[in-house]
Amino acid sequence: MERKEFKQDIRATREKVWDILWSSETYPKWTAAFMEGSHAETDWQEGGEVHFWGPDGNGTLSKILRNDTYHNMIFEHQGIIKNGKKDTESPEAKAWQGIREDYTITQTDDITTIFVQIDLPEKYEESMSKSFPKALEKVMELAEKK
């Protein structure tokens, strides 16, 4: 597993960027870079569960380790969701366990920077390395709209 880092500067406030990242309206728009039709089901509260869904009704089961509003969101994947059922025991589910995604947002003057660190299993390294920059560019596009 390799820790990858991605960064995007955006000409918008950190509050606007944060809202683009985690609102139910815009989350599917930027995560379409990974899989069209993706969405999240959660209350975004620290310690809470997140179901990251794909369009096929399957997804990833995660926990919010940290939610420092407008600054930092950290997820840790716990397993998968297959056919609507949580799975933490299968080999596929165990491959996701412990993988973390860390989103940090900083603002200097009128530039907000998103810095993402993610642990990637070798199996997903190539596709995620291509998709993450596209996803963050979409966040930028959405946030910089007037």
Side-chain angles (χ1 to χ4, degrees):
M1 190 164 337
E2 186 173 333
R3 188 130 180 110
K4 290 286 194 178
E5 298 178 347
F6 305 94
K7 180 179 145 187
Q8 181 69 55
D9 290 332
I10 301 172
R11 197 170 291 281
T13 65
R14 76 167 46 190
E15 293 83 3
K16 186 169 185 181
V17 171
W18 183 269
D19 291 342
I20 297 291
L21 286 170
W22 312 123
S23 84
S24 58
E25 180 185 323
T26 52
Y27 178 87
K29 292 177 181 178
W30 70 269
T31 58
F34 305 106
M35 184 180 293
E36 191 72 43
S38 298
H39 65 283
E41 194 175 284
T42 184
D43 62 6
W44 300 114
Q45 297 301 306
E46 193 167 299
E49 206 170 74
V50 184
H51 299 167
F52 293 108
W53 295 103
D56 60 359
N58 295 318
T60 306
L61 173 65
S62 304
K63 181 178 180 178
I64 299 174
L65 296 183
R66 181 173 183 165
N67 180 345
D68 181 3
T69 306
Y70 305 124
H71 178 66
N72 186 237
M73 180 81 81
I74 302 174
F75 304 105
E76 183 178 75
H77 301 302
Q78 310 286 307
I80 60 173
I81 306 168
K82 205 156 202 161
N83 301 318
K85 295 186 192 282
K86 296 177 188 177
D87 173 8
T88 58
E89 300 300 320
S90 72
E92 184 182 2
K94 288 185 183 289
W96 281 97
Q97 290 175 349
I99 292 175
R100 289 174 54 140
E101 290 186 46
D102 183 333
Y103 295 77
T104 301
I105 299 175
T106 60
Q107 184 173 346
T108 306
D109 298 322
D110 63 344
I111 301 294
T112 296
T113 302
I114 304 173
F115 184 65
V116 181
Q117 294 179 301
I118 181 170
D119 303 319
L120 288 176
E122 193 173 317
K123 178 179 179 179
Y124 300 105
E125 198 174 305
E126 185 177 342
S127 67
M128 293 294 268
S129 291
K130 290 178 182 174
S131 299
F132 247 106
K134 291 176 185 173
L136 294 179
E137 283 178 25
K138 185 64 176 180
V139 172
M140 179 181 71
E141 177 188 310
L142 293 166
E144 290 183 351
K145 279 184 180 176
K146 298 290 177 198

